[in-house]
Amino acid sequence: MKIVAIETSCDETSVAVLESGFKVLSNVTQTHIEHAKFGGVVPELASRAHIRLIYPLTRLALERAGVELKELEGVAFTRGPGLIGSLLVGVVFGKTLAQALGIPFLGVNHLEGHLFSIFLSYPDLKPPILYLLVSGGHTELIYMEDFFKYRYLGRTMDDAAGEAFDKGGKLLGLPYPSGPVIDRLSKEGDRNFHKFPRAKTPGYTFSFSGLKTSLLYYLRKQDEDFIKSHLADIAASYQEAIVDMLLDKAQMAFEEFKPPVIAVVGGVSMNSRLREVFKEHFGDKLVFPEPRYCTDNAAMIGAVALKRFERGESSPLDISASPNLPLV
Ligand code: KG4
Ligand code: ZN
């Protein structure tokens, strides 16, 4: 079966065309650049950008896939979690397209999309899988016992890992989003330059806001020249603390569940130091999505929908956007 999938939960408009077997025929993504000068996502600007981009990107995705509208057998869209105004664009567009074509549609959970992103790179992979989901909005440990059967282990109590990168970057005077910038800068820095405190949180929970505050106080104590000349060292030390805390809890879960596979997914899974450290610890049992499926994309939404459509599922006409939609 061939389907079209739409992702508009935050500041990326993305449309993909997929075929059974987690085959991606096309995946076009446009990141909204207008947010950079504000140092974070402005919801109203995101909604407007989605409205502007959704139609031309859908046309482009179909054209690149070499698929005509009449060949489609289903439409998938992200229904949450995310920004309400942004989600609504995808939900309304997706439902309308499906209704016009007379085919079923499915509202997909964005977090489940990130979990399924791994099947786009490893189509034969099967659960059980232990997941560390690390993005701009989420930091969660999830055990997928079987397809669509999840055990929620824990999440962050305050900031997400991506937020820790972005907010830390702001304090260091780096552009938004700062995750990739800190990653690059850290390669030239000494990660043992300063030891930032690691939060001790209960069970499988995480906390990053204390780390951000300790960076703020550390920077306040230094003069400008010192910060300028040691920017890469400070960035590398800060990044090391984030990676350390993520590894600590992932290791704890790995020891408890002894899964055959551990997957790290979401935007922060692009981080090269995280990839290096996790590889050292988990070796061949560790998998990552390809970089283009780490950050927000429609192909991962389509991956969930393909599997659900094949089980005979579809959404009712009154389904709407759900900004705080939980995974389970
Ligand atoms: O998954 P994603 O695209 O969007 C959300 O659903 O949030 O993740 C975006 C987050 C941002 O916070 C960004 O700074 C972070 O992922 N990120 C990185 C890297 N690339 C993206 N963080 C650290 N290192 C990277 N290389
Ligand atoms: Zn995401």
Side-chain angles (χ1 to χ4, degrees):
M1 96 182 282
K2 287 184 184 128
I3 65 163
V4 66
I6 295 157
E7 155 63 37
T8 63
S9 68
C10 192
D11 62 339
E12 264 106 15
T13 311
S14 182
V15 184
V17 178
L18 293 92
E19 196 175 2
S20 300
F22 298 124
K23 256 188 251 155
V24 182
L25 304 180
S26 67
N27 179 51
V28 292
T29 303
Q30 177 122 3
T31 301
H32 312 164
I33 49 162
E34 48 268 62
H35 306 289
K37 63 175 178 283
F38 298 101
V41 177
V42 183
E44 178 62 24
L45 291 182
S47 311
R48 287 172 190 272
H50 288 304
I51 291 171
R52 204 170 56 240
L53 291 166
I54 189 81
Y55 181 77
L57 288 191
T58 303
R59 277 261 162 249
L60 186 62
L62 286 164
E63 194 185 300
R64 289 213 180 143
V67 169
E68 289 182 41
L69 282 173
K70 61 176 189 286
E71 292 177 69
L72 294 175
E73 288 178 72
V75 179
F77 47 80
T78 305
R79 68 175 292 236
L83 300 170
I84 182 73
S86 293
L87 289 166
L88 276 169
V89 178
V91 170
V92 172
F93 185 85
K95 278 207 269 190
T96 309
L97 181 62
Q99 287 284 294
L101 297 172
I103 57 177
F105 56 86
L106 200 81
V108 172
N109 184 308
H110 180 83
L111 302 180
E112 197 168 39
H114 276 299
L115 303 186
F116 270 66
S117 66
I118 203 73
F119 301 120
L120 299 171
S121 306
Y122 300 90
D124 298 324
L125 194 67
K126 299 267 179 309
I129 302 169
L130 173 66
Y131 279 98
L132 174 65
L133 162 54
V134 272
S135 69
H138 296 272
T139 304
E140 344 245 331
L141 269 167
I142 297 160
Y143 194 55
M144 184 194 270
E145 294 177 334
D146 202 347
F147 285 115
F148 309 116
K149 203 167 161 224
Y150 306 108
R151 258 172 88 166
Y152 219 100
L153 306 184
R155 62 158 68 89
T156 178
M157 301 190 296
D158 40 57
D159 293 344
E163 245 177 314
F165 273 104
D166 296 335
K167 290 180 176 174
K170 200 169 185 175
L171 294 175
L172 291 167
L174 303 173
Y176 174 88
S178 305
V181 187
I182 291 181
D183 189 355
R184 238 177 294 128
L185 197 59
S186 296
K187 288 183 183 149
E188 297 143 31
D190 172 9
R191 54 180 178 264
N192 299 313
F193 182 74
H194 180 76
K195 177 107 180 162
F196 286 105
R198 276 66 167 158
K200 295 262 174 291
T201 50
Y204 294 122
T205 57
F206 300 87
S207 169
F208 296 102
S209 70
L211 173 66
K212 178 193 62 195
T213 309
S214 76
L215 174 65
L216 173 70
Y217 288 141
Y218 176 77
L219 293 174
R220 271 189 193 163
K221 277 191 282 179
Q222 320 299 338
D223 62 55
E224 239 171 73
D225 286 346
F226 177 89
I227 296 172
K228 226 188 214 164
S229 60
H230 288 291
L231 196 61
D233 299 325
I234 301 168
S237 303
Y238 183 75
Q239 170 177 273
E240 198 65 9
I242 299 175
V243 172
D244 242 20
M245 287 193 266
L246 293 173
L247 178 70
D248 185 45
K249 297 296 164 126
Q251 241 174 338
M252 220 171 98
F254 190 78
E255 275 158 30
E256 183 181 343
F257 291 91
K258 299 184 175 48
V261 178
I262 171 167
V264 187
V265 299
V268 180
S269 73
M270 299 262 276
N271 185 266
S272 50
R273 180 63 185 152
L274 181 147
R275 289 193 171 215
E276 184 180 60
V277 170
F278 273 59
K279 203 81 208 165
E280 273 168 26
H281 280 83
F282 301 112
D284 292 344
K285 295 199 164 177
L286 177 71
V287 288
F288 293 104
E290 289 160 63
R292 65 194 148 143
Y293 302 136
C294 287
T295 48
D296 288 348
N297 66 89
M300 69 184 194
I301 303 304
V304 176
L306 271 175
K307 202 83 186 160
R308 288 196 179 273
F309 277 134
E310 281 163 11
R311 286 154 47 112
E313 289 181 39
S314 65
S315 295
L317 194 54
D318 64 357
I319 193 177
S320 191
S322 178
N324 299 311
L325 188 68
L327 180 66
V328 280

